[in-house]
Amino acid sequence: QGDTAAPMCALRTTTGDKYCALKCQADSDCGTGACQKIMGIGLCTYSAAALISNAPALTAEVDVSTNPTHYGDPKTGCEADEQAVRVQGLAGDFCSPKC
């Protein structure tokens, strides 16, 4: 999809589950998505898909570990090991595996 952003374990739910996201500096890092900043970290997101209106809200957490898997726009479906997520405070969503 043209994503050049680096995957990292950057999200944590209120229950402690961790999810990965694509860390970016600019929109050009995100292919068809947008680079949105939260807590000083840029994350690739896509226009919020109506299909995931019940996606869990995740809070951003800075971490440096990586999980190089596939990330994408939930409107085309996520891979079997991913979940559509929406980060609280950001517009848009993305597919994310646990890490």
Side-chain angles (χ1 to χ4, degrees):
Q1 292 182 348
D3 296 331
T4 59
M8 67 179 281
C9 191
L11 306 172
R12 183 184 43 162
T13 66
T14 55
T15 59
D17 291 333
K18 291 185 177 184
Y19 288 88
C20 294
L22 292 176
K23 183 180 175 185
C24 56
Q25 297 294 321
D27 288 344
S28 59
D29 295 336
C30 299
T32 60
C35 184
Q36 296 189 57
K37 307 266 185 189
I38 187 165
M39 297 174 60
I41 300 293
L43 302 176
C44 291
T45 63
Y46 301 90
S47 296
L51 298 173
I52 69 156
S53 59
N54 292 327
L58 304 177
T59 55
E61 169 188 281
V62 177
D63 196 339
V64 295
S65 57
T66 63
N67 185 4
T69 64
H70 29 261
Y71 299 81
D73 189 339
K75 75 178 176 186
T76 58
C78 295
E79 298 293 325
D81 62 341
E82 295 179 312
Q83 179 174 336
V85 297
R86 182 174 297 151
V87 178
Q88 186 174 2
L90 295 181
D93 50 28
F94 54 91
C95 295
S96 174
K98 280 192 172 184
C99 52

